[in-house]
Amino acid sequence: MDWLSDEDIMLEVKQGNIDALSLLFKRHHKHLFNFFLQTGVEYHHSEDLTQQVFYRILKYKDSYREKAGFRKWMFTIARNIMRRHFETRKRHPEQELPAILLNISERQTIDSEEEERIKALYKALEKIPPQDRELISLSRFQGMKYEDIAEITGTTVGAIKVKMHRALKKLRDLYFEKADH
Amino acid sequence: MKKRIIDYQKTDTMKCNNTQINALLTAYLDNALTPEESKMVEAHLNDCSDCLDELQEIRTLHLQIEHTPLIDPPTDAERRFRQMLEKQHKPQKQSITITVDFSWKKIAAAIIIFLAGAATVLLFQSKTDSDTSSIAHLENQVSQMRQVLMTALIKNDSPSDRLKAVQYAEQISGPSPEVTNILLETLNHDPSVNVRLAAANALHQFAVHQEVRTKLAQSLQQQSDPMLQIVLIKMLVQFHERSMVPTLQDFSHDEKTHEMVKKEAEEALTVLL
């Protein structure tokens, strides 16, 4: 079933073949996990929330609309769950990003120059407001289109164009200033 | 020491004053502009070297991000997911064993009912076409009778009569707008919670129609019984009915909302696009 689109697989799940959801999990859980990390959720909670998103997709499979993009729906759920997470834990999303993002060499083999660069990028990401991190994560790291991001965040495409530019500008200013050292 | 850039908008290394066009540069690189906007940006780029430089900077950052690997999730993530999936399978298996566990008397009764049913099917199958059309006619008449009975019963004082009326409504084949309206009326105004619940259930099959869903969402707003609220939310979320979003938000913020309803509303909100 690997050649099927996300939407076809989700329809299959909706019709009762719930095992097919494992294909969608395989395809997308890494992106979801990184979305949570990049928006400031700690490592283990990011894993928990990833599972929660898929649990909710399963529980509400009947409400999946046939023509709606699966990834758009998935990230809408993820974003709502993430917001709820910050609300109930009274932890501010402005706080620092999880340590894993800044200590990549602990988990992955990577040359030191590359590590410094990535560290600088995440440090810059850490300093910009949470809403901007969210937009950058969705657009640049998870590859979502402007139309989808507009729907996920409940705004218009026109607004997203400008917001995205401003968010990335903040990131650029911080990042390139650091790299200049 | 290097001066930190605190106000990003004002203290800018790029000095283009046309902020409106400048704000579109990222979207321009992402091919997300309308043809008119693209033309505007391109015309501007012809005489603005600041924006041209900025475009290059945006491109560089994009490339850098593209070459940033994603973090690997914990290795047991997939195993945990599969465990969750398996748990979802189990309840169904249990319900199967329950049906098998029936007493012998019940099994015997089931066999008799099955045989009787099979016999009826065989009998009907041996009939000619004219017979089947007369059966259809008969069904139609029964349906009409149910509707008459229902409209009469629904006005009774006794809740059990009104319950019966709702049940009739459920069985009417190809129900008229009249029936749906009576059910909606009952759902909104019947003094008995049980009758209202039955009406909600009967309306489930009509919820494929948008008008009915809109009315159900309106009804959710005025229901005060937690059970009914939950039933309606569950029903509407199944059809991805967005018009109930404001009501759900009210439920989730209102301290007087029942805990269960709050949970149901908040979950529903997370899955509605």
Side-chain angles (χ1 to χ4, degrees):
Chain A
M1 274 167 83
D2 274 347
W3 44 272
L4 283 178
S5 71
D6 291 348
E7 289 70 26
D8 288 339
I9 296 175
M10 190 56 218
L11 272 189
E12 186 70 20
V13 174
K14 187 175 175 175
Q15 279 153 14
N17 178 7
I18 64 171
D19 287 328
L21 192 63
S22 57
L23 285 171
L24 293 175
F25 185 85
K26 254 190 202 128
R27 278 184 198 175
H28 302 299
H29 81 287
K30 191 170 175 178
H31 276 287
L32 268 184
F33 179 68
N34 278 267
F35 169 72
F36 287 128
L37 290 177
Q38 287 161 359
T39 49
V41 181
E42 308 95 312
Y43 184 80
H44 288 293
H45 285 131
S46 289
E47 158 63 0
D48 270 349
L49 297 195
T50 305
Q51 300 279 349
Q52 269 185 43
V53 171
F54 274 89
Y55 180 66
R56 205 152 287 184
I57 286 173
L58 192 62
K59 187 170 169 193
Y60 287 91
K61 61 186 189 329
D62 290 337
S63 89
Y64 173 71
R65 286 180 302 179
E66 294 191 11
K67 288 189 185 93
F70 173 75
R71 274 165 60 85
K72 186 171 70 184
W73 190 47
M74 179 183 81
F75 277 115
T76 305
I77 298 176
R79 183 170 177 267
N80 288 323
I81 285 183
M82 178 262 287
R83 302 195 136 200
R84 193 94 206 110
H85 171 80
F86 283 123
E87 262 171 51
T88 53
R89 291 182 53 81
K90 300 201 166 68
R91 181 178 182 278
H92 288 290
E94 289 86 7
Q95 282 176 344
E96 65 273 24
L97 288 178
I100 174 90
L101 291 177
L102 303 172
N103 301 313
I104 296 153
S105 56
E106 280 177 21
R107 302 229 160 212
Q108 266 145 282
T109 42
I110 200 162
D111 78 72
S112 63
E113 203 178 309
E114 185 65 356
E115 193 190 357
E116 279 311 305
R117 184 187 70 74
I118 293 173
K119 220 183 236 184
L121 183 65
Y122 280 127
K123 279 220 168 114
L125 192 68
E126 193 167 49
K127 291 203 176 77
I128 65 172
Q131 309 89 285
D132 291 332
R133 280 189 215 159
E134 211 178 289
L135 291 181
I136 292 174
S137 177
L138 286 172
S139 160
R140 304 261 64 100
F141 287 92
Q142 325 309 337
M144 297 298 289
K145 288 200 211 100
Y146 284 36
E147 291 84 31
D148 291 343
I149 298 174
E151 259 198 78
I152 293 170
T153 56
T155 178
T156 62
V157 182
I160 284 294
K161 289 176 193 169
V162 176
K163 278 185 184 176
M164 196 68 82
H165 180 76
R166 301 216 167 117
L168 281 159
K169 181 155 172 42
K170 291 175 200 172
L171 187 69
R172 262 190 287 137
D173 287 346
L174 287 161
Y175 177 63
F176 286 120
E177 194 199 22
K178 283 220 157 89
D180 278 347
H181 272 279
Chain B
M1 210 179 90
K2 211 165 183 184
K3 205 182 127 221
R4 288 202 64 84
I5 296 166
I6 295 162
D7 191 339
Y8 313 100
Q9 252 83 51
K10 286 169 199 158
T11 16
D12 195 345
T13 41
M14 317 283 173
K15 289 178 198 81
C16 175
N17 290 325
N18 196 335
T19 47
Q20 237 179 336
I21 298 250
N22 181 273
L24 295 177
L25 287 180
T26 302
Y28 174 72
L29 265 187
D30 284 334
N31 287 323
L33 293 182
T34 61
E36 297 79 49
E37 286 173 329
S38 287
K39 260 187 216 155
M40 261 167 35
V41 171
E42 274 159 17
H44 176 76
L45 285 173
N46 277 333
D47 5 272
C48 181
S49 61
D50 292 339
C51 280
L52 217 52
D53 288 346
E54 193 173 347
L55 207 60
Q56 192 49 49
E57 198 186 277
I58 298 172
R59 207 177 270 137
T60 314
L61 180 73
H62 284 190
L63 276 174
Q64 301 252 0
I65 295 180
E66 256 168 54
H67 287 102
T68 302
L70 292 179
I71 308 285
D72 286 328
T75 43
D76 65 343
E78 280 198 54
R79 191 182 49 81
R80 282 187 58 197
F81 171 73
R82 258 180 271 119
Q83 274 176 349
M84 186 273 279
L85 257 191
E86 267 160 37
K87 268 191 210 140
Q88 300 303 306
H89 277 301
K90 279 197 181 129
Q92 288 165 1
K93 278 185 198 151
Q94 273 168 1
S95 72
I96 290 167
T97 45
I98 289 166
T99 46
V100 173
D101 266 359
F102 274 155
S103 69
W104 284 108
K105 265 188 198 165
K106 280 183 183 161
I107 291 175
I111 292 171
I112 291 167
I113 290 168
F114 172 75
L115 287 177
T120 334
V121 169
L122 283 175
L123 267 176
F124 275 131
Q125 274 179 346
S126 63
K127 302 261 169 158
T128 58
D129 278 353
S130 69
D131 280 333
T132 44
S133 84
S134 76
I135 288 166
H137 182 67
L138 194 68
E139 268 174 9
N140 201 10
Q141 277 188 327
V142 171
S143 210
Q144 278 172 3
M145 222 160 68
R146 280 202 186 110
Q147 192 162 339
V148 172
L149 263 174
M150 176 214 160
T151 26
L153 279 173
I154 201 79
K155 290 173 194 130
N156 273 6
D157 286 337
S158 135
S160 65
D161 276 347
R162 296 201 303 276
L163 259 182
K164 211 176 280 167
V166 171
Q167 277 158 10
Y168 280 137
E170 226 171 331
Q171 292 159 2
I172 295 168
S173 48
S176 57
E178 201 189 337
V179 175
T180 340
N181 282 337
I182 291 176
L183 285 173
L184 282 164
E185 187 73 11
T186 310
L187 172 67
N188 288 334
H189 302 296
D190 199 285
S192 151
V193 177
N194 286 333
V195 178
R196 277 184 281 152
L197 263 175
N201 278 325
L203 280 162
H204 192 182
Q205 53 179 319
F206 312 132
V208 284
H209 304 293
Q210 181 60 59
E211 321 88 74
V212 177
R213 286 206 299 277
T214 314
K215 296 253 174 64
L216 286 172
Q218 283 162 2
S219 172
L220 175 64
Q221 222 172 346
Q222 26 174 303
Q223 297 296 345
S224 54
D225 182 73
M227 190 66 183
L228 247 166
Q229 291 170 333
I230 291 176
V231 166
L232 285 175
I233 296 173
K234 276 194 193 299
M235 203 183 281
L236 288 169
V237 81
Q238 218 178 60
F239 291 96
H240 213 109
E241 181 57 41
R242 271 199 60 83
S243 68
M244 69 164 164
V245 165
T247 314
L248 294 181
Q249 280 162 346
D250 288 347
F251 283 164
S252 111
H253 294 136
D254 190 351
E255 280 173 21
K256 281 172 276 171
T257 313
H258 189 282
E259 268 317 303
M260 299 263 285
V261 180
K262 211 173 238 187
K263 193 168 166 267
E264 198 69 41
E266 278 164 4
E267 270 199 30
L269 278 173
T270 62
V271 296
L272 290 174
L273 268 179

